Amino acid sequence: CAFPAKWSTAVALLRQCSMAGFQPSVISFSSAISACEDAAWREALDLLRWMQMDHVRPNVLTYSSVISACAKGFQWDLAL
């Protein structure tokens, strides 16, 4: 990512919305996961798990971003 804290800011905002009573959507989750692509593969996987626990259905963009984050983090086995 262009700015190292980009992913942490996106994840923090998503958590704040959730704590305020708003249900994050697939778009919210996918945006946060996309922000994690270059620096935070573990966080991307955690967000995917959170989505699944909240019964938010991932889409193609979600999976693509998670796969990209894992690949960029040299986690090839997780990317598959």
Side-chain angles (χ1 to χ4, degrees):
C1 46
F3 301 99
K6 179 178 155 184
W7 69 268
S8 60
T9 301
V11 172
L13 182 60
L14 190 66
R15 288 193 173 123
Q16 287 175 356
C17 289
S18 180
M19 289 186 337
F22 297 102
Q23 172 66 40
S25 68
V26 66
I27 296 169
S28 306
F29 276 111
S30 295
S31 296
I33 290 170
S34 180
C36 295
E37 278 188 54
D38 291 331
W41 63 269
R42 285 186 181 103
E43 195 67 43
L45 288 174
D46 287 345
L47 289 170
L48 181 62
R49 288 184 194 103
W50 179 10
M51 283 182 79
Q52 293 168 338
M53 289 184 345
D54 278 5
H55 305 288
V56 177
R57 189 175 188 180
N59 62 20
V60 172
L61 177 62
T62 309
Y63 287 122
S64 177
S65 295
V66 171
I67 289 168
S68 178
C70 290
K72 288 177 182 178
F74 301 103
Q75 303 300 314
W76 306 110
D77 55 329
L78 298 174
L80 300 176

